[in-house]
Amino acid sequence: NGQAALTVQYSGRGIIESVRIGGDSIQREFRFTQPFDSIEWKLIKKGLWINKEADDEVFVQKFPKKAIVHCHYAGYLLNGQSFDNSFVRTLPLQGKLGRFVPGFSLGIWNIPPGEVRVIKIAPKLAYKNRRIGIIPPHATLIYFIYRID
C-alpha cells in the first residue's frame, strides 16, 4: 500500500526516544536520548534554535509560503508535555509552509528528505500570547520533525 511501518518508543516522561520507519527497502531509526534541558541548541534566528547541524548547512531567514512539505512531527512544551504527534496518528502532515507558525516553517524548510531535526521555537515565532488547545500563552515549543519529501 506504499505506507511505511512506523514504530515510536517513548521515554518515561512521554518524550519520543526513538522512531523506526520501515517500508519497501528503507529502514531508518532515529534516537533522541537527551532530555530537553540537556540539549545543546544553536541559535539560527532570533527566537529559533536547532540541535542538529552540518558544517555546510545553510539556514534560511525566509521561506516560500506556498511550498508544500510532507513530514511527521511531535510537538512538546518545555515541561515535556506532548501537544500534538503525527507519529502516533500515523498520519503525516502535508501542507503549505505559510499555514504553520513561522518558526516551524523556517525550521523545516531546508531539512533534506529522510532526515530528522529537533527545533525549539520561542513564543514570538509560535503562538505568541494566544492559547491554542493545551498550549498556554507565551509557550516555547519543541518539535521533533522527520521530513518525508
Side-chain angles (χ1 to χ4, degrees), residues 51-66:
N51 84 319
K52 181 180 180 192
E53 66 169 313
D55 290 338
D56 59 351
E57 196 164 6
V58 176
F59 296 104
V60 295
Q61 301 295 312
K62 294 183 178 182
F63 56 89
K65 292 183 178 181
K66 293 186 178 187

Side-chain angles (χ1 to χ4, degrees), residues 6-21 28-36 39 51 73-76 80 82 85 87-88 116-118 142-146:
L6 182 68
T7 306
V8 182
Q9 291 182 334
Y10 293 89
S11 71
R13 292 177 55 203
I15 296 172
I16 288 180
E17 190 171 81
S18 71
V19 176
R20 180 179 212 120
I21 300 171
R28 292 181 177 271
E29 184 161 5
F30 308 104
R31 293 206 169 275
F32 308 107
T33 56
Q34 296 176 301
F36 292 158
I39 291 175
N51 84 319
Y73 68 95
Y76 297 93
S82 173
N85 192 327
F87 292 103
V88 171
V116 171
R117 181 176 287 171
V118 183
I142 306 282
Y143 281 99
F144 290 79
I145 305 169
Y146 168 69

